[in-house]
Amino acid sequence: MISALRPTLLALARFVRTPTLGRRVAGLMVLAIVLMLVLNLSVLVLIQRTVAFNDTVDEAQQVRLVSREVLTRLVDAETGQRGFLLTERLEYLSIHEEATQLLPDLLQELAGLTGGDPDLAPRVERVQELSDQRLAVMNRSISLARTGRMDEAVGVLRSDQGKLLMDAMRTEIAAIDEIQATRLQFRTRQSEWAGNITVIANALGGVMILVLAGASAWLIRRYVIEIQAARDALDRTNAGLEHQVRDRTFELTRANEEIQRFAYIVSHDLRAPLVNVMGYTSELEQAGRIIDKQMTAVETRAPKLVEQDALTAVREDVPEAIGFIRASTEKMDRLINAILKLSREGRRNLVPEQLDMTLMVSNIADSVRHQTQASGAEIVVESLPLLESDRLSVEQIFGNLIDNAIKYLDASRSGRIVVSGEEAAGGWIVYRISDNGRGISDRDHERIFELFRRSGKQDRPGEGLGLAFVRNSVRRLGGDITLESELGKGSTFLLKFPTRLILPDAGEYA
Amino acid sequence: MSHAVKIVMVEDDLGHAKLIEKNIRRANISNEIEHFADGGSAMDYLFSEEVRLNGPMLILLDLNLPDMSGTDILVRVKNDERLRRAPVVILTTTDDKHEIQRCYDLGCNVYITKPVDYESFAGAIRQLGLFLSVMQAPDIE
């Protein structure tokens, strides 16, 4: 039994020891309910006991009453007999007869009441015997008196046989009385004791329930206070967090603005000297041409005067040097313009709108159809999911990537560019731009996204700007761009955008 | 442009100043050109009594100056009772549309971006010269 209870008890102990408020309150409630049940039960037992006690009292009283009645009737019978013997008047005899007629019923009742009682039954039997004997003695004397033998009848009376029987009878009845009295006393004490116990138990239970209720209330109060404290702490943290976020956002916005401004200023300040370099290069070229013209004039008129070195310098070295200077400055100008463009794109306001991507990409594909048709390539635009983002940026991103794909197709096979897309988990949309072009070597997968960096054979025009611009734009739209590519097989650019563009610098932080 | 009109050029880059002057001359504009390499000396000149005596003038203004922004000079000129009618031509490397808008808002008369490509630059200055040759400038009173 105990071994079977053990796991249950252990589980209960674990439950009770686990300090959560719900469990504690539940435990207290269970305890209170158990106490209530115990109290109810004790009251019920007490009531039943009281009922039983009352029955016992009734029964005992009945036994006493009936036994006394028996005695009284017997005394009546005796009185009637004696009266008859003394007066020989028949009305005394009728008293006697009346009593004797009642006696059997009374005795039977008494036997019924005490039947099965080990203490009382033998005594009642004895009472019956004594009564029978006494009646027999009485009847003998009466019948003697009736037949006129009065002396004999009185002799019977004088023999004290009757008195002895009556004394024995009285003793028996007193004994029955005594037994019942003792029993009643005992029962009363028992009943009082049970009553006291119940009262004490009730009082204790009441106190316990009050204590439990108090404990529950205290626990709940403490819990509520804890919750309030936690909420206050959370509020404070939230407020602090908001403040922090605002500060950080402000700092970030400022840093970002500074970078944009820096790029802008730098590119402008770089442009100013470039104007000079290019301007004076042109001036120099012009001056060179004038000198060349002069040299030609001198050469025709006085060939001996002209040195071959001077001619080479004017006609080859100077134009060559000027050519390099010009090419470099032009390149530098393009690079500066590229930085400017990036910086400007970063400053442009984004306007999110619902974009039909299938239509947009199809339009881009149409706009480059002359290029694809010339090289026998095809662009397949699958059904693309809708996107809510900035139209211009998205157009530029796809335009750049498709241009790139066309630019770096492999001439040895017919080009095929596939644009596909699907919705991804977590509110993202993924677009793929796959080509079967020349592919990008592993070590360049990150590098190609950097400004001015290019990959593979440098046989196509470009500044290494497109992908840097694309990644910049994609990130600004809250997305990301990655590359899967194998050299010689083709490339797939994976664009990941949030389904809805939410501008981070909205409202007060702008 | 009448001969008396003086061109006041505020340009910190001496190279640019020279190239501008060369190309203005190539457009057959022979007006006197007064060059200032910083904002301070240009302001001193513009707000001196001497200017009044020199008759009508036209201001060629660069925006990126070492000591101040060209727009500061523009604001001062356009808010000045005497100078506000003088035509101001902004000639700068910046082609930022906000900057352009701002200059016109402040009252500049012409805004020209210096092209980096020299052919375009020279062409622009020569056209400016042609424009100057037909332009009327008010007197400074």
Side-chain angles (χ1 to χ4, degrees), chain A residues 1-291:
Chain A
M1 183 68 185
I2 286 169
S3 64
L5 271 175
R6 226 178 131 75
T8 320
L9 284 172
L10 281 175
L12 196 69
R14 217 174 23 251
F15 176 83
V16 168
R17 270 203 302 273
T18 314
T20 69
L21 177 89
R23 286 181 181 193
R24 279 189 198 161
V25 170
L28 289 173
M29 288 296 172
V30 167
L31 217 60
I33 288 166
V34 167
L35 264 172
M36 289 280 281
L37 283 177
V38 167
L39 289 182
N40 278 347
L41 209 66
S42 71
V43 169
L44 200 73
V45 167
L46 189 75
I47 288 167
Q48 273 177 346
R49 275 185 170 222
T50 311
V51 168
F53 173 68
N54 283 344
D55 285 351
T56 321
V57 171
D58 262 8
E59 210 180 283
Q61 295 292 12
Q62 199 71 24
V63 169
R64 285 169 96 176
L65 213 72
V66 174
S67 57
R68 274 183 200 160
E69 184 78 14
V70 167
L71 193 63
T72 312
R73 290 297 160 212
L74 214 56
V75 171
D76 281 356
E78 205 174 37
T79 311
Q81 175 227 7
R82 281 180 189 160
F84 177 66
L85 286 182
L86 283 174
T87 61
E88 284 178 58
R89 286 194 357 217
L90 277 172
E91 60 254 47
Y92 283 106
L93 207 58
S94 70
I95 293 172
H96 168 83
E97 271 162 10
E98 203 181 322
T100 45
Q101 264 166 13
L102 284 167
L103 263 171
D105 281 349
L106 285 169
L107 282 168
Q108 203 166 352
E109 198 185 341
L110 194 62
L113 282 169
T114 57
D117 190 311
D119 293 326
L120 292 177
R123 290 193 188 272
V124 168
E125 235 168 86
R126 179 97 180 105
V127 165
Q128 190 139 22
E129 269 170 36
L130 288 168
S131 161
D132 285 350
Q133 283 173 17
R134 182 73 188 95
L135 280 179
V137 172
M138 268 189 235
N139 286 339
R140 205 167 65 226
S141 69
I142 288 169
S143 45
L144 282 172
R146 274 196 179 170
T147 50
R149 300 193 297 200
M150 196 58 76
D151 289 345
E152 266 176 74
V154 173
V156 173
L157 209 67
R158 277 188 184 155
S159 69
D160 276 353
Q161 203 179 358
K163 187 186 179 292
L164 285 172
L165 282 169
M166 273 316 262
D167 286 349
M169 187 84 166
R170 279 182 215 282
T171 316
E172 279 307 320
I173 297 235
I176 288 170
D177 226 40
E178 180 70 28
I179 286 169
Q180 290 295 48
T182 317
R183 279 184 180 178
L184 274 178
Q185 219 169 25
F186 176 72
R187 290 269 163 83
T188 308
R189 270 209 309 275
Q190 217 179 21
S191 182
E192 274 171 3
W193 184 78
N196 286 340
I197 290 284
T198 311
V199 166
I200 291 166
N202 266 301
L204 272 177
V207 167
M208 278 300 281
I209 286 169
L210 278 178
V211 165
L212 288 177
S216 296
W218 181 75
L219 272 176
I220 289 168
R221 198 181 117 80
R222 205 178 63 172
Y223 180 60
V224 167
I225 289 171
E226 271 172 19
I227 285 176
Q228 193 55 50
R231 190 183 293 161
D232 287 350
L234 200 67
D235 282 351
R236 276 197 301 280
T237 315
N238 269 346
L241 216 60
E242 256 169 45
H243 192 71
Q244 247 179 344
V245 165
R246 197 177 304 137
D247 283 357
R248 297 255 164 90
T249 312
F250 178 69
E251 277 168 28
L252 267 176
T253 311
R254 212 169 51 180
N256 199 34
E257 273 169 8
E258 230 147 78
I259 288 170
Q260 299 290 353
R261 212 172 147 62
F262 176 75
Y264 195 69
I265 288 171
V266 161
S267 44
H268 274 102
D269 288 357
L270 287 178
R271 255 181 157 186
L274 217 54
V275 169
N276 280 336
V277 175
M278 291 183 92
Y280 289 103
T281 307
S282 293
E283 292 293 330
L284 236 129
E285 199 179 20
Q286 226 173 321
R289 269 193 229 115
I290 292 165
I291 293 169

Side-chain angles (χ1 to χ4, degrees), chain B residues 87-125:
Chain B
V88 177
V89 177
I90 304 285
L91 193 56
T92 186
T93 41
T94 311
D95 59 353
D96 180 54
K97 64 176 181 189
H98 295 291
E99 196 75 3
I100 296 170
Q101 273 174 9
R102 191 159 157 255
C103 285
Y104 278 111
D105 286 346
L106 292 173
C108 95
N109 304 83
V110 180
Y111 189 107
I112 297 169
T113 301
K114 293 176 194 163
V116 177
D117 171 49
Y118 186 60
E119 290 308 316
S120 318
F121 180 85
I125 301 297

Side-chain angles (χ1 to χ4, degrees), chain A residues 275, chain B residues 16 19-27 29 60 89-92 110-133:
Chain A
V275 169
Chain B
H16 285 205
L19 286 175
I20 290 165
E21 201 181 333
K22 261 182 195 282
N23 284 287
I24 285 176
R25 296 286 179 241
R26 279 178 191 150
I29 299 291
L60 280 182
V89 177
I90 304 285
L91 193 56
T92 186
V110 180
Y111 189 107
I112 297 169
T113 301
K114 293 176 194 163
V116 177
D117 171 49
Y118 186 60
E119 290 308 316
S120 318
F121 180 85
I125 301 297
R126 265 178 238 149
Q127 276 164 29
L128 174 66
L130 290 174
F131 177 62
L132 293 180
S133 68

Side-chain angles (χ1 to χ4, degrees), chain A residues 360-372 399 402-403 406:
Chain A
M360 182 195 279
V361 178
S362 299
N363 285 342
I364 295 171
D366 286 343
S367 71
V368 292
R369 195 157 307 283
H370 60 282
Q371 276 174 274
T372 48
I402 289 170
D403 276 347
I406 296 167

